[in-house]
C-alpha cells in the first residue's frame, strides 16, 4: 500500500471533519445518558457498526476472513479498542464531556512514547520530549483539580477513567502500527475493533447491572444512529485509512482540535463550566501535541 510521509490537503480535510464530529460525539453521548445506560449505548453502537461495516465490505468485495497472519494482533487491537470505549462511556457518568475529552486526547503522547520502540523511524527528538513534558504537566494539573477542587459533575473517578481511555486508544494505535494489522486494508483493521466491541460490551453492560431499554425517544434514536453510522463507521473507517496511509504521529497532530470542539459544544449544549484550569490544561495538551509532531528542519526541507 502506498504510504505518504506528510499530510496532504485531503488528509487534513478528513481529519478536521473527524475532529469536529468527535468533539460533538462526547457531548451527544452524555446528553443521552439520562435515557440509555452508558455501556449499553456503546454496545448497541458497535453491534450496528459491525453490521454496517460487514455490508460495506460485501458490497466492495473486501475480504474479511482470509488468513493473513493478523488474527491474534487483530483480536488484541479489538480488546484494547473495546476497553477504551468502556472506560470512556463509563467516565462520562462522572465528569463533563469537555473534561473527559481533554484527558482522552492524551492518546498521541502514548503513541509518541511507545511507537518508537517498535518503529524506529518515529523516534522522538528534543522538542518532542518537551511536548511530552507539556502533556504530563497538563494531566497532573487537571487531575489535581479533580481530586482537590472538583466542579459540580466532576470527580476523580471520571478523570481516571478518561485517562485510561486515552491510554488504551494510544495502545490501540501502537498495536496497529507495530503489527501485521498495519498491512491490511482499513476496513479489516476496523472490523477487528468494532466486532470485538460488539461481542464484549453487551456482556459487560449486563455484568455492571445496567438496565437495557428498548423503547427510545426520537432524540435517543437519533443519537444512537449518529454514534453508529457517522461515529463508529464512517469516521473510524476514515481514521483507519489515515493510519494505514500516513505516519501515526503526523495525523495525531490534528486531534488537539477535538477537545476544543468538545469544550465549545459542552458549554453551548450542556452548559458545562469552562474553568481557567481546564482551559490551561487543554492549552498544554494542544501545545504538547504540536511539539510532539513537529518535524526537524532537515525533514521539512
Amino acid at each position: 500500500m502506498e504510504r505518504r510521509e506528510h499530510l496532504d490537503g485531503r488528509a487534513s480535510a478528513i481529519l478536521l471533519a473527524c475532529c469536529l464530529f468527535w468533539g460533538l460525539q462526547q457531548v451527544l453521548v452524555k446528553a443521552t445518558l439520562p435515557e440509555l445506560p452508558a455501556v449499553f449505548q456503546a454496545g448497541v453502537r458497535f453491534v450496528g457498526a459491525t453490521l454496517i461495516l460487514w455490508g460495506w465490505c460485501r458490497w466492495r468485495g473486501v475480504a474479511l476472513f482470509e488468513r493473513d497472519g493478523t488474527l491474534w494482533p487483530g483480536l488484541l487491537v479489538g480488546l484494547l479498542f473495546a476497553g477504551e470505549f468502556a472506560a470512556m462511556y463509563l467516565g462520562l457518568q462522572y465528569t463533563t464531556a469537555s473534561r473527559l475529552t481533554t484527558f482522552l486526547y492524551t492518546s498521541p503522547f502514548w503513541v509518541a512514547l511507545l511507537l518508537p520502540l517498535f518503529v524506529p523511524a518515529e523516534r522522538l527528538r528534543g522538542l518532542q520530549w518537551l511536548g511530552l513534558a507539556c502533556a504530563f504537566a497538563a494531566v497532573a494539573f487537571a487531575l489535581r483539580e479533580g481530586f482537590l477542587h472538583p466542579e459540580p459533575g466532576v470527580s476523580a473517578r471520571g478523570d481516571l477513567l478518561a485517562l485510561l481511555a486515552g491510554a488504551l486508544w494510544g495502545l490501540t494505535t501502537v498495536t496497529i502500527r507495530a503489527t501485521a494489522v498495519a498491512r491490511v486494508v482499513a476496513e479489516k483493521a476496523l472490523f477487528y475493533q468494532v466486532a470485538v466491541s460488539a461481542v464484549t460490551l453487551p456482556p459487560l453492560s449486563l455484568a455492571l447491572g445496567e438496565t437495557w431499554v428498548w423503547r427510545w425517544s426520537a432524540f435517543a434514536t437519533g443519537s444512537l444512529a449518529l454514534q453508529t453510522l457517522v461515529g463508529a463507521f464512517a469516521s473510524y473507517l476514515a481514521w483507519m485509512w489515515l493510519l494505514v496511509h500516513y505516519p501515526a504521529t503526523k495525523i495525531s497532530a490534528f486531534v488537539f482540535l477535538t477537545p476544543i470542539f468538545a469544550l465549545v459544544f459542552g458549554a453551548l449544549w450542556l452548559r458545562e463550566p469552562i474553568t481557567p484550569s481546564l482551559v490551561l490544561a487543554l492549552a498544554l495538551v494542544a501545545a504538547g501535541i504540536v511539539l510532539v509532531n513537529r518535524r526537524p528542519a532537515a525533514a521539512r526541507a
Side-chain angles (χ1 to χ4, degrees), residues 16 38 61 111 135 137 143 153 197 202 215 226 252-253:
L16 182 61
V111 176
L143 281 176
S197 298
R215 298 186 64 181
L226 281 173
S252 295

Side-chain angles (χ1 to χ4, degrees), residues 106-117 119 122-125 128-129 131-132 170 173-174 248-249 252 288-289 291-293:
T106 58
S107 64
F109 304 108
W110 294 101
V111 176
L113 189 61
L114 297 175
L115 190 55
L117 299 177
V119 185
E122 304 220 30
R123 65 186 182 277
L124 297 178
R125 296 170 177 83
Q128 293 172 309
W129 284 108
L132 285 177
T173 302
V174 170
T249 50
S252 295
I289 291 175
L291 290 172
V292 161
N293 290 280

